[in-house]
Amino acid sequence: QKEVEQDPGPLSVPEGAIVSLNCTYSNSAFQYFMWYRQYSRKGPELLMYTYSSGNKEDGRFTAQVDKSSKYISLFIRDSQPSDSATYLCAMSGNAGGTSYGKLTFGQGTILTVHP
Amino acid sequence: DVKVTQSSRYLVKRTGEKVFLECVQDMDHENMFWYRQDPGLGLRLIYFSYDVKMKEKGDIPEGYSVSREKKERFSLILESASTNQTSMYLCASSFTGGGRWQYFGPGTRLTVT
């Protein structure tokens, strides 16, 4: 079983739809949770960051972390064609020992928002 | 803005060649990472470095080596390139003790023929 599981999709939605992207994980030591967006032929860019449990909102994007269920989500409201990209979840535990901020990534979900 | 740059966007090499991929970051980050990204396999960590001249193996180090002589520069070396090393290579950097997020470069698409 992988430490982080993410539905690879692909996911195709009409413009204006609410999109829900999800990851589950097995390592209870994870404390830092991130979502990255990767456009075609580009490097991933940090989209959202959350420490421990709770919600975080940034414009049309909301990140949720439920540590009791080991489940994180990214919601995109009023989705736009420019949101079409691969979305990667990533997480990390405390930087003790030799972890040095290593991240464990999900496989990525390919999202297409069509006009 | 943090900037991570990679020496080439596209590279074509022949089997058996020695290949150097260079990465430079401009934010004085302690940690630097090399990943490869393949369809269906996601991002896989090859090597990382937490200080100058220090390195640790990641999940798939076989066939690769790294060098970090200066804090801002981290090189990935393919000693003898093989066709199964055709991939997208991504470099990233981060602070120690920060929020753990990593900043990525634009990637190098390497094709080994």
Side-chain angles (χ1 to χ4, degrees):
Chain A
Q1 184 193 359
K2 290 187 180 135
E3 249 186 325
V4 178
E5 298 273 2
Q6 181 177 6
D7 184 355
L11 195 58
S12 181
V13 302
E15 184 175 353
I18 296 174
V19 175
S20 171
L21 304 167
N22 310 294
C23 288
T24 58
Y25 63 95
S26 57
N27 187 345
S28 57
F30 287 147
Q31 299 272 9
Y32 303 87
F33 303 92
M34 285 138 265
W35 286 95
Y36 283 85
R37 178 175 61 196
Q38 185 177 21
Y39 290 117
S40 181
R41 293 185 291 278
K42 298 282 178 69
E45 57 176 340
L46 182 68
L47 189 60
M48 297 285 284
Y49 162 77
T50 312
Y51 172 69
S52 195
S53 281
N55 292 1
K56 189 170 186 177
E57 191 173 317
D58 184 3
R60 297 184 295 109
F61 298 89
T62 300
Q64 285 186 352
V65 175
D66 181 350
K67 290 189 70 181
S68 61
S69 303
K70 296 191 178 68
Y71 190 86
I72 72 170
S73 300
L74 177 71
F75 297 97
I76 307 173
R77 291 184 299 281
D78 187 25
S79 56
Q80 302 293 310
S82 59
D83 295 327
S84 298
T86 297
Y87 290 80
L88 298 149
C89 64
M91 41 200 87
S92 177
N94 287 319
T98 58
S99 69
Y100 298 106
K102 284 169 62 178
L103 296 179
T104 302
F105 286 87
Q107 284 197 296
T109 300
I110 300 167
L111 171 67
T112 302
V113 181
H114 49 85
Chain B
D1 267 1
V2 174
K3 201 153 194 180
V4 180
T5 56
Q6 295 183 229
S7 50
S8 307
R9 291 301 307 277
Y10 300 95
L11 211 51
V12 179
K13 295 292 181 182
R14 294 198 180 275
T15 302
E17 277 193 84
K18 192 168 187 175
V19 181
F20 292 87
L21 302 182
E22 297 269 306
C23 175
V24 177
Q25 50 94 4
D26 66 358
M27 279 300 290
D28 204 34
H29 286 169
E30 295 89 353
N31 306 318
M32 296 188 75
F33 306 83
W34 275 107
Y35 297 89
R36 64 177 283 176
Q37 186 176 33
D38 301 288
L41 297 176
L43 278 164
R44 293 182 290 169
L45 182 64
I46 304 171
Y47 267 98
F48 69 101
S49 168
Y50 51 92
D51 202 351
V52 175
K53 297 191 187 297
M54 307 304 288
K55 60 188 179 186
E56 292 276 343
K57 292 180 180 178
D59 301 318
I60 51 163
E62 297 79 18
Y64 303 94
S65 62
V66 290
S67 172
R68 194 167 179 201
E69 296 296 318
K70 293 186 177 181
K71 192 174 185 180
E72 68 271 18
R73 191 179 295 269
F74 192 35
S75 302
L76 179 70
I77 303 148
L78 287 67
E79 296 290 342
S80 177
S82 63
T83 54
N84 63 11
Q85 293 179 310
T86 291
S87 186
M88 169 73 114
Y89 289 88
L90 290 161
C91 175
S93 69
S94 71
F95 280 117
T96 293
R100 311 291 184 274
W101 59 80
Q102 294 176 10
Y103 296 89
F104 282 84
T108 296
R109 171 76 61 184
L110 172 67
T111 302
V112 183
T113 61

